[in-house]
Amino acid sequence: MTGRRTGGAGERVDRDPAGTRPVGRPCVQQPVAAAVGEWLRRYAAPDTPVVVACSGGADSLALALGTVGIVEPGLLSAVTVDHQLQPGSAERAVAVATQLHEIGYDTVRIERVEVGTDGGPESAARTARYGALAPAPGSRAVVLLGHTADDQAETVLLGLARGSGPRSIAGMTPWRPPWGRPLLELRRADTERACAAAGLTFWTDPHNADPRFTRVRLRREVLPLLEDVLGGGVGPALSRTARLLAEDLQALDQLAVRLLAEVWQAGGGIDVTALAGHPVALRRRALRTWAEAIGAGALTYAHLHRLDTLVTQTRGSGAVRLTGAVDAVRTGRTLSAVPVG
């Protein structure tokens, strides 16, 4: 069972009937506001609707605070998700919505979701949450998330453990439509200080101390041990590694697109002889993009390895079964897509 929305378009929590705005606004502390402003200048047009996802924790509450006053009020809204996993979650969601109104949000939605079981509790909750936060089809809105450098460090460690390659180790990106992450260069301590300076009380999720969850053990056991053994600075170093890898991946992806254009034949196949002489990192990126274009689904490392072997073998023919009911078939110098069945 996968997560799904249960609240339709979401419950809107409006201001009090008199429609009064709070007197003044809590001061926004640097560097959170600066990070939000820089992200918006880099990735969003001035008239882009902005939705802030806020759980009431320090990171997302600081993000919400830092966005008020930067985005035009008519373009700004917030969403809080009630996962219904803990007693009192509905009351907590209303309290978060009220807090958001108090710092200057006119429009706040509560999305109630049912969390399934696919992929384990963490993955299922994430699937349900992102489904609730996603803008409606055709919307131009961006959704800002409060992930920090500490979250990035945990993501990098998880990627290393899975052995799923540099794309996984590169972690979360600042912008992957519709998701924006302005705080990836900041620490959790920065967001807590911003909330304290503004006089805001943030919520501490009990799940963040539950050792049943992998990220909790990384945060509370693995990273402190690494900091102790390696002499500190591990979290920022992992986050910096992710940023550098992301930059390298972007360059390789652009080169692979150019390579694919050079070897793509008129009938939709690939000239394997022209492709085979290029570095494996470019070949496999080109092959992944080509596979997506011919209707294949997500490819595993094994798929790409077999495809690459089919391209680089000196001669002959062969086929690789891909996902999405399609085969990649080599005949002579051409790699073509053949529907299964």
Side-chain angles (χ1 to χ4, degrees):
M1 175 181 178
T2 57
R4 63 181 178 85
R5 295 193 192 190
T6 61
E11 174 189 341
R12 176 169 169 164
V13 179
D14 293 314
R15 290 180 178 274
D16 59 88
T20 56
R21 295 184 64 90
V23 177
R25 181 173 64 85
C27 62
V28 179
Q29 296 297 308
Q30 299 286 0
V32 174
V36 173
E38 176 58 29
W39 189 95
L40 290 169
R41 283 189 292 273
R42 184 170 182 181
Y43 297 109
D47 61 346
T48 300
V50 174
V51 182
V52 176
C54 185
S55 67
D59 299 339
S60 61
L61 191 57
L63 173 65
L65 183 65
T67 309
V68 170
I70 296 177
V71 177
E72 295 271 348
L75 295 171
L76 180 62
S77 63
V79 181
T80 188
V81 177
D82 176 8
H83 296 82
Q84 304 186 90
L85 294 176
Q86 302 171 20
S89 65
E91 292 78 7
R92 164 54 51 190
V94 171
V96 172
T98 300
Q99 196 171 32
L100 288 166
H101 282 316
E102 289 172 351
I103 64 174
Y105 283 76
D106 290 315
T107 303
V108 181
R109 293 195 335 270
I110 294 174
E111 290 285 357
R112 293 188 175 89
V113 298
E114 289 184 0
V115 177
T117 58
D118 290 353
E122 291 173 282
S123 176
R126 184 168 53 251
T127 298
R129 180 169 60 255
Y130 276 73
L133 293 172
S139 171
R140 296 174 48 250
V142 301
V143 181
L144 300 187
L145 307 173
H147 295 123
T148 66
D150 297 276
D151 298 303
Q152 185 75 295
E154 296 160 12
T155 300
V156 172
L157 284 178
L158 286 170
L160 282 168
R162 295 185 184 116
S164 47
R167 200 170 299 277
S168 178
I169 302 170
M172 297 175 286
T173 60
W175 174 232
R176 180 170 294 162
W179 314 110
R181 297 179 175 89
L183 308 185
L184 284 180
E185 299 298 315
L186 301 185
R187 303 296 303 275
R188 198 163 284 132
D190 294 317
T191 64
E192 292 177 356
R193 279 194 294 267
C195 290
L200 297 176
T201 301
F202 56 84
W203 179 56
T204 301
D205 187 345
H207 282 172
N208 288 338
D210 190 335
R212 293 177 301 168
F213 301 114
T214 303
R215 275 189 180 268
V216 172
R217 297 197 66 187
L218 281 175
R219 185 177 307 143
R220 297 169 69 92
E221 300 175 33
V222 177
L223 278 167
L225 179 60
L226 288 173
E227 293 278 354
D228 180 52
V229 171
L230 298 177
V234 171
L238 288 170
S239 180
R240 184 168 60 250
T241 296
R243 184 176 67 252
L244 293 171
L245 268 173
E247 292 169 354
D248 289 349
L249 288 171
Q250 183 180 39
L252 286 169
D253 288 343
Q254 291 173 353
L255 291 172
V257 168
R258 296 177 192 172
L259 173 59
L260 184 58
E262 294 172 4
V263 301
W264 198 308
Q265 298 175 329
I270 288 179
D271 183 337
V272 297
T273 304
L275 181 61
H278 290 271
V280 62
L282 293 181
R283 284 201 312 267
R284 291 185 179 177
R285 281 172 171 78
L287 287 169
R288 183 187 294 276
T289 303
W290 174 76
E292 292 172 354
I294 64 174
L299 300 187
T300 65
Y301 172 81
H303 286 126
L304 280 174
H305 178 73
R306 290 196 293 269
L307 265 180
D308 192 51
T309 300
L310 194 60
V311 166
T312 56
Q313 65 188 23
T314 55
R315 59 181 181 176
S317 59
V320 174
R321 172 62 52 86
L322 304 177
T323 57
V326 63
D327 285 343
V329 178
R330 175 175 173 176
T331 306
R333 293 183 48 168
T334 300
L335 185 68
S336 303
V338 177
V340 175

